[in-house]
Amino acid sequence: MADTNSDFDVGQLTPSQQEALQQYTDVTGQDIKDAVPLLERSQWNVQIAISKFFDGEGPDPVAEAQAALDAAPRAAARHENLHESFLADAIQPPRRSTRSPRTDLAPRVVPQTPVVYQPPLLLSILFAPFRFGYGLFGGILRSVLYLLSFLPSPLRPRAVASSLRAGWKNSNGRRSLLPKETAERFKREFEEEYGANTLPFFEGGHAQALDTAKKDLKFLLTVLISPEHDDTDKFVRNTLLAPQVVSFINDSSNNIMIWGGNVLDSEPYQVAREYMCTKYPFSCLICLTPKEGSTRMGVIKRIAGPVSPDAYVSYIQKAMEKYAPELDGVRAERAAQAMARNLRSEQDSAYERSLARDRERARQRKEAAAAAAAAEQRAREEAEAAERLAELREQWRKWRATTIAPEPDTSVKDSVRLALNMPVSLGGDRVIRRFARETSLEDLYAFVECYELLKEGASTEQVAKPDEYEHKYSFQISSLMPRETFAPDTTITIAEKIGRGGSLIVEDISPEDDGYQEA
């Protein structure tokens, strides 16, 4: 369903008007299409517009006067005497107003907070003994009257009997309470006077009941009772508490709220004055009047004085039948707006979920790209490190090949003759060579490491030893019988370890093995 606010472009308003519209809608929750005309009629004054929304919008006398002036036909110039004027007035019938009748405005009565006078400190200290004495005397007197109320009727003093008969009609000492507490006191005293009943009196102030009826599109039945009036008891017992009246009010399909008040209390008395109540008991039916104002609450029926239960229900039903279609239309409009809001909320929620999924996918792609870049960088660094390590290893082999002592001559009798079985990685040859007696095991390892370079022939190029490089041998030299592995030690000679000769094998090892040899 299309959005009801899409027909109006907020961008046409000035910044100050947009700010006023935002403040007004935040307080009232009214749609923009209804809020803008109301703000225009209020000269864009937010306070006046809010008052019109809650209290109802009365007729605009200036606009009505201007409309009547524009609608009135201009009279042509007339020339008549006094006798003709009187004769024309007598013959011409009185004009009837063509303007549709308007209901009386239902004002929103908010009771003022009672002001408590605080005397100066000096006066309080001076009158403190009198106040204490008065309070003590009043407490003792109330206790005595309470105890005397248990005496039989013939023995009970007249003052006690009259105070008990007064009940809720007694207006002496009725303390001014808050609206909610006043409503609770009225309901409690009503049940004490007329017994338990099922009338659903609204437990709150009249202004709160009026706002609830406007919000929920219900009819508000306001009942004002004066206990001092002679017809009050008859009206309550025979009409208000009649079964057909109680069942009609409790029927949820009628959408009726009931608020009652005792005019001896402050708030109901103010309501009676604002609603121009002149006769008790008084009842009035209030509801929203959309044709007279989108937020206007009007009094659609007044019932004053005692009436029969059937007539009471009939009056209310006729008034409800007249304004029920208007309220049904507002309910349908609000339902459509609520459906549009729910649909928009669901669409926004779906959009947010889709946006969250897209953000999660983007985050995952970004993390995957970052991980791939990091892996590529790491692989590149490892390749560069391996290449650098291979260069340093080759440089070390070339340098170490220049430091290996040449093979002793056959005439040297104390030389050590060794047979080395090379691994496949070093050519797989069987090398037989003589070594000087003082050759260390590390020199033997260096010979095997540089065997390919030595086999190709000595190079005249001078190669320096690489700095900050520690060579690691990727093989180990072992004897067959008995099995023994020799470490590349610079302090142990081959004569000490092997003797005058022997057969050795060279075995490849991986860097992860524990036998990986360091030079």
Side-chain angles (χ1 to χ4, degrees):
M1 184 174 293
D3 190 359
T4 56
N5 296 333
S6 61
D7 298 336
F8 185 81
D9 186 9
V10 183
Q12 299 176 357
L13 304 178
T14 63
S16 60
Q17 292 175 347
Q18 293 180 8
E19 182 179 0
L21 177 62
Q22 182 65 31
Q23 294 177 0
Y24 175 78
T25 54
D26 289 344
V27 175
T28 61
Q30 192 179 21
D31 293 329
I32 295 179
K33 69 181 185 64
D34 296 329
V36 172
L38 182 58
L39 284 169
E40 289 177 349
R41 292 192 297 272
S42 304
Q43 302 300 320
W44 293 96
N45 189 309
V46 180
Q47 298 297 331
I48 296 177
I50 292 175
S51 300
K52 287 183 178 180
F53 177 81
F54 288 107
D55 299 340
E57 186 176 1
D60 190 354
V62 177
E64 289 186 355
Q66 184 66 32
L69 184 61
D70 295 338
R74 294 182 178 272
R78 299 177 58 188
H79 302 279
E80 60 183 11
N81 54 28
L82 183 60
H83 176 71
E84 292 174 349
S85 299
F86 285 142
L87 184 61
D89 293 339
I91 295 175
Q92 185 178 3
R95 295 182 180 178
R96 295 184 178 180
S97 175
T98 59
R99 188 167 60 91
S100 59
R102 295 174 63 92
T103 58
D104 294 335
L105 178 66
R108 188 173 182 270
V109 180
V110 180
Q112 299 180 356
T113 305
V115 179
V116 180
Y117 173 73
Q118 294 290 344
L121 180 61
L122 182 59
L123 292 179
S124 301
I125 296 174
L126 292 176
F127 286 96
F130 299 97
R131 187 170 63 253
F132 175 75
Y134 177 77
L136 181 61
F137 176 75
I140 295 174
L141 182 60
R142 283 193 296 271
S143 301
V144 171
L145 292 177
Y146 176 76
L147 294 176
L148 293 177
S149 64
F150 292 100
L151 294 176
S153 299
L155 301 179
R156 189 181 302 163
R158 182 176 299 177
V160 177
S162 62
S163 63
L164 293 177
R165 286 194 301 268
W168 73 331
K169 299 180 181 180
N170 184 16
S171 60
N172 296 328
R174 289 185 72 87
R175 186 163 57 93
S176 179
L177 302 175
L178 296 175
K180 181 176 177 61
E181 297 174 351
T182 302
E184 293 175 351
R185 180 169 64 181
F186 168 80
K187 185 176 182 180
R188 183 178 62 254
E189 293 179 347
F190 188 88
E191 292 179 352
E192 291 175 355
E193 183 72 16
Y194 301 106
N197 58 84
T198 58
L199 286 177
F201 285 108
F202 184 83
E203 296 184 358
H206 188 268
Q208 184 180 359
L210 196 69
D211 295 341
T212 304
K214 179 189 294 187
K215 177 183 177 182
D216 299 339
L217 297 177
K218 292 186 176 182
F219 295 93
L220 175 61
L221 179 61
T222 301
V223 180
L224 296 176
I225 295 175
S226 176
E228 298 177 348
H229 201 278
D230 296 336
D231 295 331
T232 298
D233 189 76
K234 178 181 177 182
F235 168 77
V236 173
R237 297 185 186 276
N238 299 336
T239 302
L240 192 60
L241 294 180
Q244 57 267 42
V245 176
V246 174
S247 61
F248 178 78
I249 295 175
N250 286 324
D251 189 357
S252 59
S253 62
N254 293 327
N255 294 319
I256 295 181
M257 297 171 51
I258 182 172
W259 182 89
N262 184 350
V263 294
L264 299 180
D265 292 326
S266 174
E267 184 187 17
Y269 176 74
Q270 296 180 39
V271 173
R273 291 189 59 186
E274 292 291 337
Y275 284 77
M276 295 177 291
C277 176
T278 58
K279 186 177 181 180
Y280 295 99
F282 174 80
S283 302
C284 67
L285 192 64
I286 305 170
C287 74
L288 183 69
T289 54
K291 291 185 178 180
E292 301 174 5
S294 59
T295 60
R296 185 179 187 274
M297 297 291 287
V299 180
I300 62 175
K301 186 62 180 177
R302 297 175 184 269
I303 306 174
V307 294
S308 64
D310 295 334
Y312 193 77
V313 174
S314 177
Y315 292 153
I316 298 176
Q317 279 183 335
K318 290 181 180 179
M320 291 174 58
E321 291 173 357
K322 182 178 179 181
Y323 289 90
E326 299 180 10
L327 295 183
D328 292 339
V330 177
R331 289 192 188 96
E333 183 179 359
R334 290 188 180 181
Q337 294 173 358
M339 185 179 298
R341 284 194 297 268
N342 293 336
L343 180 60
R344 185 168 59 251
S345 176
E346 292 176 359
Q347 292 175 350
D348 294 342
S349 178
Y351 173 76
E352 291 295 336
R353 292 194 298 269
S354 176
L355 184 61
R357 289 194 296 268
D358 294 341
R359 289 174 177 172
E360 181 64 20
R361 294 193 188 102
R363 185 187 64 81
Q364 292 177 357
R365 287 195 298 268
K366 185 177 180 180
E367 291 180 354
E376 183 180 357
Q377 178 67 18
R378 186 167 55 253
R380 185 165 55 251
E381 292 175 355
E382 291 176 356
E384 292 176 355
E387 183 179 358
R388 175 62 178 166
L389 182 63
E391 293 177 356
L392 294 175
R393 178 183 180 87
E394 186 64 21
Q395 181 181 355
W396 183 89
R397 290 179 66 220
K398 291 180 179 180
W399 165 80
R400 192 69 175 86
T402 60
T403 61
I404 295 176
E407 184 178 3
D409 192 70
T410 55
S411 60
V412 180
K413 296 183 179 181
D414 58 350
S415 61
V416 180
R417 186 174 181 276
L418 296 177
L420 298 171
N421 297 314
M422 297 295 185
V424 178
S425 60
L426 297 178
D429 300 334
R430 177 179 176 82
V431 180
I432 300 175
R433 189 181 189 275
R434 291 185 299 277
F435 295 89
R437 186 178 183 82
E438 62 275 5
T439 302
S440 66
L441 291 176
E442 197 278 331
D443 293 334
L444 179 62
Y445 268 84
F447 170 78
V448 175
E449 184 73 42
C450 302
Y451 173 71
E452 293 181 351
L453 298 176
L454 296 174
K455 186 171 64 173
E456 294 175 358
S459 175
T460 59
E461 181 182 358
Q462 295 295 328
V463 181
K465 181 180 180 181
D467 297 333
E468 299 180 358
Y469 173 75
E470 183 178 0
H471 185 74
K472 295 182 180 180
Y473 296 104
S474 59
F475 58 87
Q476 65 182 7
I477 301 176
S478 306
S479 61
L480 295 176
M481 296 299 291
R483 174 73 178 183
E484 183 180 2
T485 301
F486 306 112
D489 195 340
T490 58
T491 60
I492 301 176
T493 63
I494 58 176
E496 296 174 359
K497 209 60 174 167
I498 302 173
R500 293 185 60 83
S503 179
L504 303 176
I505 59 174
V506 180
E507 301 172 329
D508 289 327
I509 57 175
S510 61
E512 289 78 9
D513 295 338
D514 294 337
Y516 199 72
Q517 305 296 331
E518 295 183 0

